[in-house]
């Protein structure tokens, strides 16, 4: 995340630290010279940027030894420390003049006053839920005038992700180009094994591990009552591994190893330095283009795969006309008056375009705001649970009324319009 | 400060899941040579040091300059004028104490003059930002010594890689979306017997609903063959009939409503792929007809000996087919039925591998070369061999790949134009001992000079293509800049190709890769 309020100084003084002659030679050529492929708005100048100086980094994680095969800002002495802090220290010490400010927090712990201050946001998040949240946050900052987006309220989002030898990089201009939710169907939902397979007819070593994790651990509580399975605790994994071996022996299943066990419990995705380097570089190139207008940014999605040779595919993801996040079109919920609230919740979580996780629903009934169902606070969950089996009519809801839905996939409450069908 | 095996397993866990312990071992036994610790060079090496290659040696005669500090993360903290090879070695070494780093403070040209055999010791040589003459000289030495060579260059917003390896064999290519090897069209005896041990008509519902779909398809296929004179379903209409036949086999309840039998749904869904005839992929057939496969000598690399043994197997015990792969996908079934079926395939695969091993022993009376037999048999359908042309062949007027170049240039904005521009700036450098547009005042006048180089290049190779002036202008504008983000993209790409060469897993590109950071597109050409 970069802020460029100060004009860049290319050669010469920079905060008193030693400044090499010619330090910006490589970058200068793109900022001072006009050319046939630059952005139409580009104006070459001598006082252009040299490097990004002000960067804030947000990360909720601490460093694990398994990060060290690719996360090059960290060393073994840093294991256990917050990633944001160590990354900031490293860059601040290594790059003269750079000011990185760390935030050892979840992205959701920061609000719009925080995010509003940036010119560009870059993400390397590890879940779709988090991406949707960030996407929603930037959409909530948009200012509309006469139905048109005020371009000064647009903060570009550059997003990268990798898995093994595959990766992708995309540029999102909130309110103007395809957002994360516009292309939600590109990400198929995670498939979990069916319970009956795990409970009674395992076939794969993975089924055996899931049995121990989901059924055996809660029953036996091997490390004390209420002690949850911690995928990072080798003793816990060892216990699961041994029990998984026993389970697999019962069914003549081969292939349970410690590595497989840990992979299943922690849902580990393989990762290497090279793919991450490629995608990070592509993202950084886009940040550079956005900040300098030196070139037209990626429009707007690139896919990379180097399993067999090197393959890239670049395309323009299209905005979804009725996107639940960015289209400004109120989303309809079509149900019969006798449908239950549970059915509505099932739709919110199951629909490919919404994929909510644990939606909380409120409505205005007889002039008063009423929570219909909320899962995340135990007391409210208990109180509102009976509503799930009630029909929408029973709950006092009327045709055309607004339902407000909150969920971890979006920072702002989403408004739906209830449409009764016969 | 050698790490214990346990801590290395933890550190490398995420990558071990991709290339296994044996892949990691190959990496740890490798010695990589990097020529020129520029931004591109250090980014490549960083992505090799982090995963734990055994050793690297940097060859670089330059001293750290101001512009290195501005585009090279590794060197960005350097405070005093150091020789670049040493500075980079120390800073890269610091990334991973398992790796041993060395440097030679010398230009590659000097080494080629005085001690070309210096390069013979390396597992792979990576040459970065090399002028054309040095690049070609080195290419010739490494080609004669059969040392793999990877050429990399960042030029403005363009990235370039060229892989030069004579013959690179791959047993574990790890294909995405591989077809299963189920042998439904040609069931082997043990499989046939197993199918016959099932009687779908006399099963209780629980068993019926948990019979593997492979068995279901096999049973119905039997029936179909009997009813159709031994001819399997071939076109869409017949396959639809076949699916319907299976659909009718779903148990019905007392009211005649079909029960929920997911295994039957799976069978119907898989009919198309299940009916694919078992056959040897053409890529493997090509390997079977190659010179190396048919002329086995005492010097033949083990890959070819094993491949020849597989070919012998195909023509005898295999009855025209490769050894059975031995794996089946997961499917709805109870544990016992699934495991029993899986074991049928597994045991057949073991049998076939043993038969192939006998053929290896017949070919050479030595047992030493049979260590990878089961791995080769399991991957028989996915074997790959990559042979790149030498740089000499690419550059020689008589053997230049005119067709590829001209047909790509039918689209004048294809990435091929960047290849031609890179060749042109090389030419410029040869002529003027500098690259075009390095200083602002040179940009304008160099455009026409560069254009002359472009034209002489096209003329020399008799290439009837047109290069837009915009590209010539842009390449002058670049001023041979090596921006960090483009270097980093190449850094990741090149490092992984090097890892493929070292580990013999996954498939390297063949042989020229162009990356365009302006449009975030790329292309691979065989030049």
């Amino acid at each position: 995340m970069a802020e460029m309020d100060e004009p860049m100084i290319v050669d010469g003084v920079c905060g008193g630290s030693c400044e090499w002659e010619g330090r910006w030679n490589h970058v200068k050529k793109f900022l001072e010279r006009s050319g046939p492929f630059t952005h139409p708005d580009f104006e070459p100048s001598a006082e252009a940027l040299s490097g990004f100086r002000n960067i804030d980094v947000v990360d909720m994680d601490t460093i694990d030894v398994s990060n060290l095969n690719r996360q090059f800002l960290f060393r073994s002495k840093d294991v256990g420390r917050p990633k944001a802090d160590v990354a900031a220290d490293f860059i601040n010490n290594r790059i003269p003049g750079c000011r990185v400010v760390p935030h050892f927090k979840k992205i959701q712990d920061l609000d719009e006053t925080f995010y509003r201050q940036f010119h560009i946001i870059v993400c390397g998040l590890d879940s779709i839920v988090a991406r949707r949240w960030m996407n929603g946050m930037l959409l909530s900052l948009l200012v509309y005038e006469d139905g048109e987006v005020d371009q000064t309220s647009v903060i570009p989002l550059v997003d990268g992700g990798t898995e093994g030898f595959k990766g992708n990089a995309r540029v999102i201009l909130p309110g103007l180009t395809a957002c994360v939710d516009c292309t939600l169907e590109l990400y198929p939902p995670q498939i979990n094994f069916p319970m009956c397979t795990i409970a009674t007819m395992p076939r794969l070593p993975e089924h055996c591990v899931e049995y121990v994790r989901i059924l055996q651990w809660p029953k036996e509580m091997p490390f004390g009552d209420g002690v949850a399975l911690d995928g990072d605790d080798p003793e816990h994994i060892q216990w699961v591994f041994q029990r998984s071996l026993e389970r697999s022996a019962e069914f003549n299943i081969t292939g349970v190893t410690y590595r497989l066990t840990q992979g299943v419990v922690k849902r580990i995705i393989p990762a290497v330095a090279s793919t991450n380097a490629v995608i990070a570089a592509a993202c950084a190139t886009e940040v550079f283009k956005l900040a300098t207008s030196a070139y037209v940014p990626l429009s707007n999605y690139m896919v990379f795969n180097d399993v067999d040779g090197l393959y890239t595919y670049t395309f323009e993801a299209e905005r979804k006309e009725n996107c639940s996040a960015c289209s400004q079109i109120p989303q309809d919920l079509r149900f019969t008056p006798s449908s239950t609230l549970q059915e509505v919740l099932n739709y919110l979580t199951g629909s490919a375009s919404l994929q909510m996780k644990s939606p909380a629903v409120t409505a205005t009934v007889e002039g008063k705001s009423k929570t219909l169902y909320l899962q995340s606070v135990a007391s409210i969950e208990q109180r509102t649970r009976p509503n799930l089996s009630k029909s929408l009519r029973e709950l006092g809801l009327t045709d055309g009324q607004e339902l407000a839905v909150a969920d971890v996939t979006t920072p702002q409450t989403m408004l739906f319009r209830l449409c009764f069908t016969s | 400060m050698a790490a214990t095996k346990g801590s290395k397993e933890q550190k490398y866990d995420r990558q071990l899941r991709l290339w296994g312990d044996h892949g990691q071992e190959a990496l740890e036994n490798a010695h990589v040579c990097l020529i020129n610790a520029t931004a591109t060079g250090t980014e490549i090496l960083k992505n090799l040091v982090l995963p734990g290659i055994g050793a690297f040696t940097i060859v670089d005669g330059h001293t750290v300059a101001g512009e290195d500090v501005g585009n090279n993360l590794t060197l960005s903290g350097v405070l005093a004028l150091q020789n670049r090879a040493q500075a980079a070695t120390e800073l890269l070494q610091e990334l991973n104490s398992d790796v041993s780093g060395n440097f030679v403070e010398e230009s590659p040209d000097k080494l080629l003059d005085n001690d070309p055999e210096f390069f013979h010791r390396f597992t792979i040589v990576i040459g970065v930002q090399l002028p054309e003459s040095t690049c070609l000289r080195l290419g010739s030495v490494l080609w004669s010594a059969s040392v793999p060579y990877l050429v990399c260059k960042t030029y403005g917003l363009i990235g370039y890689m060229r892989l030069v390896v004579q013959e690179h064999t791959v047993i574990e290519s790890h294909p995405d979306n591989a077809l299963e090897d189920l042998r439904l069209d040609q069931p082997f005896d043990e499989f046939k017997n197993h199918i016959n041990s099932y009687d779908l008509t006399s099963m209780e519902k629980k068993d019926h609903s948990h019979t593997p779909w492979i068995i279901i398809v096999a049973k119905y296929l039997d029936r179909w063959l009997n009813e159709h004179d031994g001819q399997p379903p071939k076109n869409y209409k017949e396959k639809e009939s076949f699916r319907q036949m299976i659909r009718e086999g779903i148990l019905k309840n007392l009211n005649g409503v079909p029960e929920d039998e997911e295994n039957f749904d799976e069978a119907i869904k898989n009919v198309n792929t299940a009916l694919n005839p078992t056959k040897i992929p053409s890529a493997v057939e090509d390997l079977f007809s190659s010179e190396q496969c048919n002329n086995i000598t005492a010097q033949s690399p083990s890959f070819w000996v094993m491949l020849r043994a597989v070919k012998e197997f195909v023509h005898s015990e295999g009855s025209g087919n490769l050894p059975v792969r031995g794996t089946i996908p997961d499917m709805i079934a109870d544990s016992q039925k699934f495991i029993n079926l899986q074991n049928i395939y597994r045991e057949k695969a073991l049998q076939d591998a043993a038969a192939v091993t006998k053929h290896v022993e017949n070919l050479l009376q030595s047992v030493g070369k049979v260590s990878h037999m089961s791995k080769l048999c399991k991957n028989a359908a996915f074997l790959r061999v990559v042979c790149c042309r030498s740089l000499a062949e690419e550059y020689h007027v008589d053997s230049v790949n005119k067709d590829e170049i001209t047909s790509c240039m039918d689209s004048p904005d294809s990435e091929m134009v960047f290849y031609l521009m890179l060749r042109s700036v090389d030419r410029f450098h040869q002529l003027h001992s500098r690259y075009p547009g390095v200083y602002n005042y040179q940009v304008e006048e160099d455009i026409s000079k560069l254009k002359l180089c472009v034209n002489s290049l096209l003329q020399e190779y008799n290439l009837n293509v047109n290069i837009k002036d915009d590209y010539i202008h842009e390449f002058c504008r670049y001023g041979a800049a090596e921006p960090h983000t483009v270097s980093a993209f190449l850094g990741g790409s090149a490092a992984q190709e090097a890892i493929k060469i070292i580990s013999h897993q996954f498939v390297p590109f063949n042989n020229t890769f162009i990356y365009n950071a302006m449009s975030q597109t790329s292309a691979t050409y065989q030049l």
Side-chain angles (χ1 to χ4, degrees):
Chain A
M1 309 192 209
E3 188 179 340
M4 270 81 50
D5 270 339
E6 315 161 348
M8 282 314 306
I9 303 158
V10 180
D11 284 334
V13 178
C14 138
S17 62
C18 159
E19 186 70 32
W20 285 81
E21 171 88 24
R23 182 177 177 190
W24 308 117
N25 279 353
H26 290 284
V27 159
K28 259 167 53 167
K29 285 151 193 174
F30 299 99
L31 303 171
E32 295 176 355
R33 303 175 176 186
S34 61
F37 297 105
T38 59
H39 193 286
D41 296 340
F42 176 66
E43 277 172 35
S45 83
E47 288 95 38
L49 276 75
S50 63
F52 296 99
R53 290 188 185 283
N54 299 313
I55 301 174
D56 282 54
V57 66
V58 180
D59 196 319
M60 59 186 261
D61 265 338
T62 55
I63 296 163
D64 181 72
V65 67
S66 66
N67 299 147
L68 301 177
N69 80 324
R70 62 199 184 280
Q71 295 172 20
F72 60 89
L73 300 178
F74 312 142
R75 302 286 177 273
S76 43
K77 63 173 169 51
D78 300 318
V79 172
R81 285 184 62 200
K83 288 189 178 180
D85 293 345
V86 178
D89 284 346
F90 187 105
I91 298 289
N92 289 332
N93 289 331
R94 184 66 81 89
I95 314 280
C98 204
R99 286 200 295 265
V100 180
V101 176
H103 304 269
F104 175 37
K105 292 196 156 97
K106 299 213 287 276
I107 52 171
Q108 295 91 343
D109 293 335
L110 298 156
D111 63 15
E112 62 270 6
T113 27
F114 175 77
Y115 291 109
R116 192 172 272 133
Q117 62 183 312
F118 299 106
H119 290 74
I120 301 175
I121 309 249
V122 198
C123 293
L125 297 165
D126 63 359
S127 75
I128 295 163
V129 169
R131 285 181 170 84
R132 292 177 72 184
W133 190 92
M134 182 54 70
N135 183 65
M137 167 53 71
L138 296 184
L139 287 169
S140 75
L141 299 177
L142 292 175
V143 173
Y144 286 86
E145 263 169 39
D146 298 325
E148 295 279 307
V149 171
D150 172 6
Q151 301 233 354
T152 62
S153 67
V154 173
I155 300 179
L157 173 62
V158 179
D159 176 60
T162 67
E163 251 189 56
F165 296 119
K166 303 184 179 151
N168 57 74
R170 66 190 300 183
V171 173
I172 294 173
L173 302 173
L176 298 173
T177 64
C179 80
V180 172
D181 283 53
C182 289
T183 57
L184 206 51
E185 282 110 357
L186 275 183
Y187 307 107
Q190 233 186 0
I191 301 173
N192 291 315
F193 303 120
M195 266 320 287
C196 67
T197 300
I198 295 173
T200 59
M201 45 188 85
R203 297 176 297 267
L204 303 178
E206 289 84 350
H207 299 158
C208 302
V209 176
E210 287 289 76
Y211 173 84
V212 176
R213 179 180 77 87
I214 298 173
L215 296 172
Q216 213 172 336
W217 180 287
K219 207 155 49 145
E220 294 185 31
M221 286 291 170
F223 288 83
D225 251 343
V227 175
L229 172 52
D230 177 5
D232 293 318
D233 186 335
E235 275 187 49
H236 288 203
I237 299 292
Q238 188 62 235
W239 188 91
V240 174
F241 171 48
Q242 292 303 329
R243 302 292 163 296
S244 303
L245 275 177
E246 286 164 21
R247 173 95 173 149
S248 68
E250 248 185 85
F251 292 88
N252 291 314
I253 296 170
T254 57
V256 173
T257 61
Y258 184 92
R259 188 178 290 164
L260 181 134
T261 303
Q262 193 178 40
V264 173
V265 171
K266 293 181 68 171
R267 297 278 195 267
I268 289 177
I269 295 175
V272 287
S274 60
T275 321
N276 285 294
V278 166
I279 296 301
C283 289
T285 295
E286 292 312 307
V287 173
F288 176 79
K289 291 179 192 171
L290 286 162
T292 62
S293 293
Y295 287 92
V296 176
L298 165 65
S299 178
N300 55 39
Y301 201 117
M302 177 185 86
V303 166
F304 173 85
N305 182 341
D306 64 355
V307 167
D308 186 341
L310 302 112
Y311 169 80
T312 64
Y313 176 62
T314 309
F315 66 101
E316 189 171 336
E318 287 181 356
R319 288 190 77 180
K320 202 158 137 206
E321 228 181 278
N322 59 344
C323 175
S324 52
C326 78
S327 72
Q328 297 263 302
I329 295 173
Q331 302 289 299
D332 283 348
L333 288 175
R334 290 177 196 284
F335 288 90
T336 65
S338 55
S339 309
T340 62
L341 183 61
Q342 181 69 68
E343 287 173 58
V344 176
L345 285 177
N346 291 346
Y347 170 73
L348 293 172
T349 52
S351 116
S353 59
L354 292 173
Q355 291 188 47
M356 292 192 167
K357 297 296 161 193
S358 55
V361 186
T362 23
T364 308
V365 178
E366 287 157 11
K368 285 194 285 220
S369 174
K370 178 176 168 180
T371 302
L372 297 175
Y373 183 71
L374 189 146
Q375 199 174 347
S376 52
V377 179
S379 56
I380 304 180
E381 198 281 326
Q382 249 184 330
R383 180 169 60 76
T384 55
R385 201 185 305 154
N387 289 341
L388 292 176
S389 49
K390 293 201 181 133
S391 74
L392 301 177
R393 184 190 291 125
E394 270 182 272
L395 290 167
L397 300 174
T398 56
D399 184 34
Q401 88 164 94
E402 242 176 29
L403 291 178
V405 180
D407 185 58
V408 67
T409 50
T410 161
Q412 276 199 308
T413 308
M414 213 181 256
L415 292 174
F416 289 87
R417 191 171 53 196
L418 186 57
C419 299
F420 279 154
T421 60
S422 47
Chain B
M1 215 193 347
T4 64
K5 181 158 197 279
S7 68
K8 275 215 281 193
E9 265 211 53
Q10 276 188 298
K11 178 162 75 169
Y12 298 136
D13 177 83
R14 301 300 186 268
Q15 67 202 38
L16 293 173
R17 290 168 191 275
L18 290 165
W19 53 64
D21 297 319
H22 58 293
Q24 187 64 29
E25 208 186 309
L27 278 185
E28 291 177 12
N29 289 330
H31 188 170
V32 175
C33 176
L34 169 73
I35 305 178
N36 285 331
T38 68
T40 306
T42 54
E43 285 294 324
I44 297 172
L45 210 42
K46 156 184 143 281
N47 295 319
L48 290 171
V49 168
L50 286 169
I53 51 164
F56 66 86
T57 296
I58 298 181
V59 171
D60 194 340
H62 299 89
T63 317
V64 179
E67 61 182 32
D68 289 312
V69 173
N71 80 339
N72 190 332
L73 178 66
T74 302
L75 300 177
S76 47
V78 172
L79 295 170
L81 286 164
Q82 265 191 286
N83 83 67
R84 204 163 66 174
Q86 181 172 17
T89 299
E90 284 164 11
L91 292 158
L92 283 166
Q93 173 83 83
E94 187 261 325
L95 282 173
N96 190 348
S97 53
D98 298 338
V99 178
S100 99
N102 315 280
F103 64 92
V104 173
E105 199 187 323
E106 190 64 90
S107 82
D109 277 307
K110 272 279 179 54
L111 281 174
L112 286 167
D113 287 336
N114 301 329
D115 179 23
E117 306 207 346
F118 166 79
F119 294 103
H120 292 191
R121 77 196 67 185
F122 298 110
T123 320
I124 182 170
V125 173
I126 303 175
V128 167
Q129 312 296 87
L130 292 173
E132 186 178 294
S133 54
T134 316
C135 183
L136 293 176
R137 276 183 81 193
L138 187 54
S140 150
V141 166
L142 297 176
W143 184 266
S144 313
S146 294
V147 174
Y149 178 33
L150 182 59
V151 180
C152 298
K153 185 179 285 199
T154 298
Y155 200 96
L157 270 88
I158 303 301
Y160 163 86
M161 290 200 294
R162 170 61 154 101
L163 179 65
V164 192
V165 62
Q166 276 172 38
E167 180 185 280
H168 177 79
T169 59
V170 183
I171 296 176
E172 292 177 277
S173 59
H174 302 282
D176 276 334
N177 305 322
L179 291 173
E180 302 284 349
D181 183 24
L182 303 177
R183 304 293 166 115
L184 281 163
D185 61 329
Q186 301 178 46
F188 45 92
D189 289 339
E190 296 85 342
F191 185 26
K192 253 193 273 206
N193 293 337
H194 188 70
I195 298 167
N196 290 336
S197 72
Y198 279 85
D199 180 3
L200 291 174
T201 58
S202 70
M203 283 173 139
E204 301 255 318
K205 177 171 188 303
K206 193 145 190 268
D207 282 324
H208 196 263
S209 305
H210 292 96
T211 296
W213 71 255
I214 291 178
I215 301 288
I216 296 172
V217 171
K219 281 293 203 199
Y220 281 92
L221 187 58
D222 251 349
R223 202 177 108 188
W224 177 283
L225 292 173
N226 283 334
E227 294 172 6
H228 291 81
D229 212 18
Q231 292 302 312
K234 289 209 182 68
N235 54 40
Y236 176 77
K237 196 152 158 240
E238 287 177 353
K239 288 184 186 176
E240 218 10 73
S241 286
F242 185 59
R243 278 189 276 266
Q244 188 54 30
M245 195 193 263
I246 298 176
R247 204 170 281 125
E248 278 157 18
I250 296 177
L251 290 181
K252 297 190 175 56
N253 66 15
L254 296 165
N255 298 326
V257 176
E259 301 270 24
D260 197 9
E261 297 204 284
E262 275 183 78
N263 58 335
F264 271 76
D265 294 338
E266 272 187 342
I268 291 162
K269 202 166 63 146
N270 281 291
V271 157
N272 249 343
T273 46
L275 293 179
N276 277 338
T278 306
K279 70 187 205 96
I280 302 178
S282 57
V284 180
E285 289 282 21
D286 288 342
L287 293 182
F288 283 160
S289 25
S290 70
E291 164 86 33
Q292 299 95 311
C293 178
N294 292 309
N295 283 341
I296 298 295
T297 68
Q299 278 78 44
S300 294
S302 62
F303 176 88
W304 294 108
V305 177
M306 294 193 287
L307 185 77
R308 173 64 176 274
V310 173
K311 183 178 178 181
E312 302 291 324
F313 169 90
V314 167
H315 292 143
S316 50
E317 300 95 336
S319 308
N321 289 321
L322 294 172
V324 165
R325 192 175 311 153
T327 57
I328 57 173
D330 189 26
M331 59 193 75
I332 304 284
D334 65 52
S335 312
Q336 197 172 49
K337 293 193 182 58
F338 180 82
I339 300 295
N340 288 344
L341 179 62
Q342 190 180 57
N343 285 337
I344 294 287
Y345 284 92
R346 275 188 186 169
E347 272 146 30
K348 181 65 172 153
L350 284 173
Q351 246 185 56
D352 285 357
V356 176
T357 306
K358 282 246 157 53
H359 284 287
V360 175
E361 287 164 6
N362 291 342
L363 281 168
L364 335 147
Q365 266 76 54
S366 92
V367 184
K369 299 201 175 186
V370 301
S371 51
H372 307 295
M373 257 359 280
S374 65
K375 191 176 287 167
L376 186 118
C377 288
K378 200 161 158 210
N379 286 284
F382 313 124
L383 303 173
R384 298 280 293 275
V385 177
V386 173
C387 299
C388 304
R389 295 209 311 161
S390 69
L391 290 176
E393 287 176 88
E394 175 186 342
Y395 278 65
H396 199 282
V397 165
D398 295 335
S399 50
V400 62
N401 193 344
K402 265 183 78 168
D403 288 342
E404 176 80 332
I405 297 173
T406 26
S407 68
C408 288
M409 287 304 290
D410 277 343
S411 324
D413 299 309
S414 98
E415 278 78 12
M416 182 59 82
V417 74
F418 300 116
Y419 169 75
L420 294 170
M421 284 314 306
L422 288 171
R423 292 288 305 268
S424 304
V425 298
D426 273 346
R427 207 156 262 242
F428 187 105
H429 185 265
Q430 256 177 341
L431 212 54
H432 303 284
S433 299
R434 63 178 181 84
Y435 287 104
V438 174
Y439 295 101
N440 284 347
Y441 73 83
Q442 294 171 325
V443 180
E444 271 310 310
E445 34 174 89
D446 281 350
I447 292 175
S448 44
K449 291 202 182 91
L450 182 55
K451 189 158 188 177
L452 289 173
C453 294
V454 171
N455 290 336
S456 93
L457 177 81
L458 297 179
Q459 214 169 35
E460 181 180 323
Y461 289 101
N462 199 4
L463 293 167
N464 193 8
V465 302
N466 181 44
I467 294 185
K468 291 185 193 169
D469 281 345
D470 278 350
Y471 291 107
I472 303 176
H473 181 176
E474 184 72 357
F475 267 68
C476 280
R477 177 173 183 256
Y478 286 159
E482 192 186 356
H484 176 257
T485 62
V486 185
S487 308
F489 189 101
L490 263 201
S493 306
Q496 191 51 36
E497 295 310 302
I499 290 175
K500 290 177 186 176
I501 296 292
I502 294 168
S503 67
H504 285 268
Q505 293 188 42
F506 307 94
V507 184
F509 72 110
N510 184 359
N511 54 40
T512 300
F513 175 77
I514 306 273
Y515 166 63
N516 177 358
M518 295 188 284
S519 57
Q520 299 284 20
T521 54
S522 72
T524 301
Y525 303 117
Q526 207 167 344
L527 297 177

